[in-house]
Amino acid sequence: SGVTTKPSVLILGTSIDHGEGGTQATIFNSGLVCQQLSDAGIGFINGGIRADSVRRQLASDAKRLALGNSTEITTVIFGGPVNDVTRSVGGTSTAAEIFADMQTQWAKFPTKNRIQLTMTPLTSDGAGTTPIARAQVWRDVNDLIRNNTNGVKVWDIAAVMSNGGSATCTWFS
């Protein structure tokens, strides 16, 4: 009857999830998550937006919320809250505040499979993505993600990449 049993995924996240700076020819298929899903033959909608944050999504996510809760989507993948750590409220939010926003976001998709990404390892000494002063908040948020998701699956990209391994997600294997 035209119904598939394959998962269909909505990705919510930042420029990292969108694929900016990726190596693929097409930006919409170049984020790490997109590459993994594409290689596995899984349909997805890349909702990653440059400079987006969990707090911004909570304030203005009506269209993505409706899309994520539609019958066509089986899984929502949440990118690591990089911009919440580096930019939200002037870059002063605590790990607990950021994590509380994440839990609010997860609750908006109660009937979906939900996968939360950790944030990729720090690669900056302050001249790049994450000021070193926020490095502890970065680590604390990742620890909260790893230990307190209450049924939300975790794709621990940070741990895998820090150990030099492949960041392959096995949730769809």
Side-chain angles (χ1 to χ4, degrees), residues 3-69:
V3 176
T4 181
T5 57
K6 283 190 132 186
S8 54
V9 178
L10 172 63
I11 303 163
L12 299 177
T14 66
S15 57
I16 293 169
D17 308 295
H18 184 254
E20 289 188 35
T23 57
Q24 298 287 333
T26 170
I27 194 166
F28 295 107
N29 196 27
S30 65
L32 176 63
V33 175
C34 298
Q35 290 174 15
Q36 296 293 318
L37 296 174
S38 182
D39 289 350
I42 295 168
F44 63 89
I45 298 171
N46 188 341
I49 298 175
R50 181 182 205 179
D52 209 359
S53 66
V54 176
R55 188 160 289 174
R56 185 176 295 141
Q57 288 174 24
L58 290 173
S60 63
D61 70 348
K63 290 181 180 177
R64 287 184 282 182
L65 180 61
L67 179 60
N69 280 306

Side-chain angles (χ1 to χ4, degrees), residues 57-82:
Q57 288 174 24
L58 290 173
S60 63
D61 70 348
K63 290 181 180 177
R64 287 184 282 182
L65 180 61
L67 179 60
N69 280 306
S70 70
T71 57
E72 291 80 15
I73 298 294
T74 62
T75 303
V76 180
I77 296 178
F78 306 94
V82 174

Side-chain angles (χ1 to χ4, degrees), residues 7 73-78 109-115 153 172:
I73 298 294
T74 62
T75 303
V76 180
I77 296 178
F78 306 94
F109 304 94
T111 64
K112 303 301 175 180
N113 296 317
R114 297 164 294 172
I115 300 173
K153 296 174 183 171
F172 303 106

